[in-house]
Amino acid sequence: MSQKELLKVKNLKQYFPIKGGILGRTVNNVKAVDDISFTVHEGETVSVVGESGCGKSTTGRAILRLDNPTDGTVEFDGINLLDLNKKEMRKMRKDMQIIFQDPYASLNPRQTVRETLREAMAIQGVVPKEERADRIAELLETVGLQPYHADRYPHEFSGGQRQRIGIARALSVDPKLIVCDEAVSALDVSIQAQVLNLLKKFQKEMNLTYLFISHDLGVVRHISDRVIVMYLGKIVEVGDKKSIFENPQHPYTKALLSAIPVPDPDHDKDRIFLQGDVPSPIDPPTGCRFHTRCPFATERCKEETPELRSTGYMAEGHQGACHYMELIESGEHQPTRETSKVRQLSEEPERV
Amino acid sequence: MSTNESILEVTDLRTSFFTEGGEVKAVDGVTFDVPAGKTLGIVGESGSGKSITAMSILQLISHPGKIKGGEIKFRGKNLLDLTEKEMRKIRGNQISMIFQEPMTSLNPTYTVGQQIRESYKIHQGLGKKEGSKRAIEMLKLVGIPSPEKRLDQYPFELSGGMRQRVMIAMALACKPDLLIADEPTTALDVTIQAQILELIKELQDELGMSVVMITHDLGVVAETCDYVAVMYCGKVVEYADVRTLFKNPRHPYTVGLLKSLPRSDRDQEELTPIKGTVPSPDEMPVGCRFAPRCPFATDLCHEKLPSLDDVGDGEQIRCWIYTDEWNGDPGVKVYEPERTTES
């Protein structure tokens, strides 16, 4: 893998204002993404994982400027995307495409596949007019569809086929980076495997870079080189796939991994049950955002926000944002809460 | 099938939807047993008929759908012989159901307390005071903090995980013998899913219920079920105890599902997807429904539908390979355990 930095996100913040009162003033903000930084190298797959509301999809959208980020920089190929105007940004999108979760909602129902693909090529001007028909046939074949499918409408396809059209559209402009936002989540496993294999194949053939946003850790383990774990708008852990799955350091990552049901009845279930739900991102907890549910939380976690850091025994590039990583690892810091019961009648933070 | 006594025996259940395009056989001759006190998983992909099977058990099928035939024996009594009035006494009382989306299955205009009390009023004739007392007990049982306060809250005031707990409290209010859980955790995040699945399991032990767990997630099956029925295109293709199903799957579809599953517990080089897609109802194959996607299919498979046969040890398979009539490769290996490095 080449080590060229393709995408560099620095101190990215995405707040969504909440309007209220008679004057419709901003009364508060949903801090969907709150100061995150990471780098994606050319040709690699970086996954962003986390539960609903952790900001993973918002991160993907902010990078492509589908929403306008509140603060920070997003450098793509050395250019800060947040400095570009609309027209310049549209040009950049030739190199950065997105595949959405729901392929039906993201395809125009009134356009045939041919029209959809032709429009993408025309806007970006990547293929001369006279060659477009051939290119469309070729693209459909690459994603496992037939050339005669070109004149059909989205409703005539199954979910898996529609997702292939979404992929064909993303590939039609010859991009460098594809953001896959829950791209296989809506698909049945047998079809999901087909699409995952396809994505892997294209990456090899075209040296594509993927930012893969998913809540499914099985899929993430299969497709990623590196993994970013998010919780309530913050990165809690980042590292190569092996480190994250086999040597997780942050208590949230550990709980998340232990919660996944494994398709093996003999699997040793050493489960960490987290109490309650994810708190509201409007008024996130102080200090470490995970402290309200963390089995190891102390007073310090309520007050001090932990930064991403690495220690001696962690692999290169593996970082966690927890004050107690080493002490938990060595067993010196023991859980401060029960984690083996699901019916603990502790009061949890109210949802807003 | 199993040596245990069965609480539910479904035989040749057929449910169809009559649409303009003709009859769609959503459930097409489904047969399975639920051993008392155990959990049966019904697993399958979209359109396999697993949810319609569940709805059929409680006769919740509405126009244009219709239960065409078969038998649903609950403690020896055929539910399909009952009148709607008799059925109503069973629903929510002896057999309860929880659904995938707790927000759409709770009534948004009633408080949590009113909805749980309804069960007690209908089935046990309890008044408000006694009903509330029992409702608080139920909310405590499912691990909801400060239940007295929650009683007067509306569903929108609760989080997704809490709503699902309320649904479970409602379903279990009358201590049913059988709980049907239709994708109970699909809409939830994985850390919440872990809580809810464990809760169902603990309550099952405490109350001695039997459970039918309908899911598309093989991980959930491995973790919660004792027996498994794998459905494809409205039919059961394999029925086995959970260990056998995962350690020695026999139907090519089951094997295909397991091989296409990306695992979080170990590294895999490549996924082996099942080729093609589920056939649409109007072009349903005449032979084995899985034949067009099956890597082992012969002419026989394309022409004739295999039956669901006992293959010993309480296991049942619907596949020609395991019959005397098999005319393909006699040494065919449908499943070969892969060598893996466990993490």
Side-chain angles (χ1 to χ4, degrees):
Chain A
M1 192 194 309
S2 69
Q3 281 299 310
K4 186 187 157 200
E5 291 176 349
L6 186 66
L7 179 73
K8 218 168 160 181
V9 175
K10 253 200 215 145
N11 305 103
L12 183 70
K13 283 183 192 167
Q14 177 78 63
Y15 294 174
F16 296 105
I18 305 166
K19 308 276 186 193
I22 316 167
L23 301 173
R25 273 189 299 218
T26 303
V27 289
N28 212 334
N29 284 300
V30 175
K31 294 172 182 128
V33 172
D34 199 6
D35 197 359
I36 66 167
S37 304
F38 62 91
T39 306
V40 179
H41 300 103
E42 193 168 40
E44 74 172 345
T45 300
V46 174
S47 288
V48 185
V49 303
E51 299 179 288
S52 344
C54 72
K56 54 190 190 303
S57 287
T58 308
T59 304
R61 295 179 59 90
I63 288 168
L64 289 178
R65 277 188 61 190
L66 298 177
D67 305 314
N68 268 324
T70 313
D71 197 15
T73 60
V74 178
E75 263 180 40
F76 182 80
D77 241 353
I79 300 164
N80 183 7
L81 300 180
L82 306 190
D83 292 342
L84 302 181
N85 64 28
K86 244 184 167 171
K87 209 172 145 196
E88 293 164 326
M89 191 56 214
R90 180 169 289 166
K91 261 191 198 154
M92 286 304 291
R93 291 214 180 94
K94 181 206 153 311
D95 288 332
M96 29 195 341
Q97 287 287 307
I98 183 163
I99 305 170
F100 295 98
Q101 168 166 8
D102 183 346
Y104 197 57
S106 57
L107 292 171
N108 186 339
R110 287 166 186 265
Q111 280 188 337
T112 62
V113 173
R114 183 186 305 283
E115 285 160 358
T116 298
L117 296 178
R118 196 193 281 144
E119 189 182 24
M121 290 185 228
I123 289 172
Q124 296 299 349
V126 276
V127 182
K129 225 172 181 174
E130 53 279 8
E131 290 170 30
R132 278 177 203 158
D134 290 342
R135 177 77 178 133
I136 288 169
E138 190 190 309
L139 272 168
L140 288 177
E141 218 159 307
T142 338
V143 297
L145 295 170
Q146 300 299 319
Y148 65 79
H149 284 133
D151 294 310
R152 295 198 180 170
Y153 289 91
H155 75 263
E156 299 176 76
F157 295 95
S158 68
Q161 285 175 321
R162 277 183 217 141
Q163 201 54 295
R164 287 166 194 263
I165 297 167
I167 295 172
R169 179 177 57 186
L171 292 177
S172 67
V173 297
D174 220 352
K176 292 181 185 158
L177 172 78
I178 299 183
V179 175
C180 305
D181 187 1
E182 300 277 10
V184 296
S185 306
L187 307 175
D188 275 320
V189 282
S190 68
I191 307 298
Q192 174 179 289
Q194 294 173 0
V195 174
L196 283 175
N197 283 353
L198 212 55
L199 287 173
K200 272 201 153 179
K201 186 178 137 220
F202 294 146
Q203 178 164 47
K204 239 183 251 163
E205 290 173 2
M206 307 176 201
N207 195 30
L208 288 170
T209 307
Y210 293 137
L211 186 68
F212 200 89
I213 295 159
S214 179
H215 71 280
D216 184 327
L217 285 132
V219 170
V220 165
R221 181 162 196 167
H222 181 69
I223 199 147
S224 322
D225 298 305
R226 286 194 303 129
V227 180
I228 294 169
V229 185
M230 285 184 73
Y231 185 79
L232 265 183
K234 291 258 188 212
I235 294 178
V236 295
E237 190 160 358
V238 55
D240 59 289
K241 171 170 74 179
K242 199 171 154 54
S243 300
I244 295 287
F245 280 92
E246 289 174 17
N247 186 26
Q249 289 298 308
H250 197 283
Y252 177 65
T253 315
K254 290 182 192 177
L256 193 64
L257 288 173
S258 87
I260 312 165
V262 172
D264 177 356
D266 292 339
H267 180 75
D268 190 17
K269 284 161 226 154
D270 208 358
R271 186 151 290 165
I272 306 161
F273 290 108
L274 293 180
Q275 301 302 321
D277 295 291
V278 182
S280 159
I282 296 172
D283 228 343
T286 54
C288 173
R289 293 189 174 187
F290 186 54
H291 85 251
T292 55
R293 300 172 80 201
C294 182
F296 295 95
T298 65
E299 282 301 313
R300 183 180 172 198
C301 304
K302 275 186 208 168
E303 285 149 20
E304 249 177 80
T305 308
E307 296 293 327
L308 276 174
R309 64 195 177 87
S310 191
T311 59
Y313 60 87
M314 286 160 74
E316 202 191 321
H318 183 194
Q319 291 182 305
C322 171
H323 298 305
Y324 294 104
M325 288 188 302
E326 303 87 342
L327 296 177
I328 293 171
E329 183 78 9
S330 68
E332 278 168 70
H333 184 61
Q334 288 294 317
T336 51
R337 283 194 184 124
E338 176 68 66
T339 58
S340 57
K341 291 204 191 86
V342 287
R343 283 180 283 173
Q344 189 173 299
L345 298 177
S346 66
E347 192 52 75
E348 60 179 286
E350 287 289 317
R351 265 172 87 91
V352 184
Chain B
M1 208 170 254
S2 65
T3 51
N4 298 45
E5 206 182 308
S6 299
I7 185 152
L8 186 76
E9 288 166 65
V10 174
T11 317
D12 196 27
L13 179 68
R14 281 170 287 125
T15 303
S16 288
F17 287 82
F18 296 90
T19 64
E20 276 172 32
E23 180 185 354
V24 175
K25 296 177 178 172
V27 176
D28 192 11
V30 162
T31 300
F32 60 81
D33 277 15
V34 183
K38 302 281 183 194
T39 300
L40 170 78
I42 300 183
V43 64
E45 298 179 290
S46 345
S48 61
K50 54 190 192 302
S51 285
I52 302 299
T53 302
M55 305 283 263
S56 300
I57 296 172
L58 280 173
Q59 292 175 44
L60 296 172
I61 303 291
S62 53
H63 184 78
K66 199 170 177 282
I67 300 177
K68 275 174 54 195
E71 224 181 31
I72 303 169
K73 267 194 175 166
F74 175 66
R75 306 173 120 191
K77 206 166 45 180
N78 186 2
L79 296 183
L80 294 180
D81 292 340
L82 301 183
T83 62
E84 173 57 24
K85 208 175 151 196
E86 290 169 315
M87 217 27 232
R88 234 178 263 167
K89 281 190 188 148
I90 289 186
R91 286 189 207 120
N93 193 19
Q94 289 166 292
I95 307 178
S96 274
M97 189 157 175
I98 48 179
F99 300 89
Q100 174 170 350
E101 221 326 303
M103 194 57 206
T104 52
S105 12
L106 290 171
N107 190 330
T109 62
Y110 289 99
T111 63
V112 166
Q114 284 169 320
Q115 298 189 54
I116 302 179
R117 276 200 302 268
E118 191 187 8
S119 242
Y120 290 119
K121 197 175 143 199
I122 292 172
H123 296 298
Q124 299 175 2
L126 297 183
K128 191 177 171 190
K129 207 173 145 207
E130 186 60 18
S132 292
K133 215 179 105 197
R134 297 272 193 97
I136 289 171
E137 275 168 31
M138 280 318 295
L139 291 178
K140 254 188 212 157
L141 186 71
V142 297
I144 291 184
S146 34
E148 294 83 0
K149 202 175 90 195
R150 299 286 175 188
L151 221 49
D152 298 321
Q153 287 189 324
Y154 289 90
F156 76 88
E157 298 177 83
L158 307 174
S159 68
M162 279 298 148
R163 276 181 219 140
Q164 197 56 290
R165 281 172 194 248
V166 168
M167 277 258 291
I168 294 173
M170 267 170 71
L172 302 186
C174 294
K175 309 258 183 316
D177 300 319
L178 178 66
L179 176 71
I180 300 172
D182 186 4
E183 305 266 11
T185 56
T186 307
L188 305 176
D189 276 320
V190 26
T191 58
I192 310 296
Q193 164 170 284
Q195 295 173 5
I196 297 294
L197 291 179
E198 182 65 20
L199 178 68
I200 294 177
K201 230 183 331 184
E202 284 181 13
L203 293 173
Q204 178 178 19
D205 289 344
E206 282 173 42
L207 307 174
M209 293 187 290
S210 314
V211 176
V212 175
M213 177 73 73
I214 289 156
T215 179
H216 69 282
D217 186 329
L218 287 159
V220 170
V221 171
E223 214 140 276
T224 58
C225 301
D226 302 297
Y227 297 89
V228 190
V230 181
M231 282 188 71
Y232 187 76
C233 290
K235 292 183 185 295
V236 173
V237 295
E238 184 161 1
Y239 178 100
D241 68 88
V242 72
R243 278 206 89 237
T244 308
L245 192 95
F246 283 94
K247 298 295 168 186
N248 187 21
R250 294 207 231 188
H251 196 283
Y253 176 63
T254 314
V255 173
L257 273 186
L258 287 168
K259 281 192 173 170
S260 16
L261 196 64
R263 304 279 298 248
S264 62
D265 59 329
R266 64 184 191 216
D267 287 325
Q268 288 155 299
E269 264 315 296
E270 212 176 315
L271 301 174
T272 319
I274 302 172
K275 65 175 182 187
T277 50
V278 177
S280 69
D282 50 322
E283 47 193 38
M284 199 51 78
V286 286
C288 173
R289 305 296 191 243
F290 188 57
R293 306 177 73 189
C294 181
F296 310 104
T298 63
D299 288 347
L300 175 68
C301 306
H302 287 287
E303 285 155 15
K304 242 173 99 189
L305 179 73
S307 54
L308 185 65
D309 293 328
D310 279 311
V311 290
D313 294 334
E315 212 192 330
Q316 298 180 323
I317 311 272
R318 187 190 287 280
C319 177
W320 287 118
I321 294 176
Y322 304 97
T323 65
D324 297 335
E325 277 140 284
W326 176 243
N327 55 3
D329 176 4
V332 60
K333 277 218 172 74
V334 176
Y335 180 69
E336 282 175 277
E338 38 184 325
R339 272 186 297 274
T340 51
T341 41
E342 291 277 336
S343 68

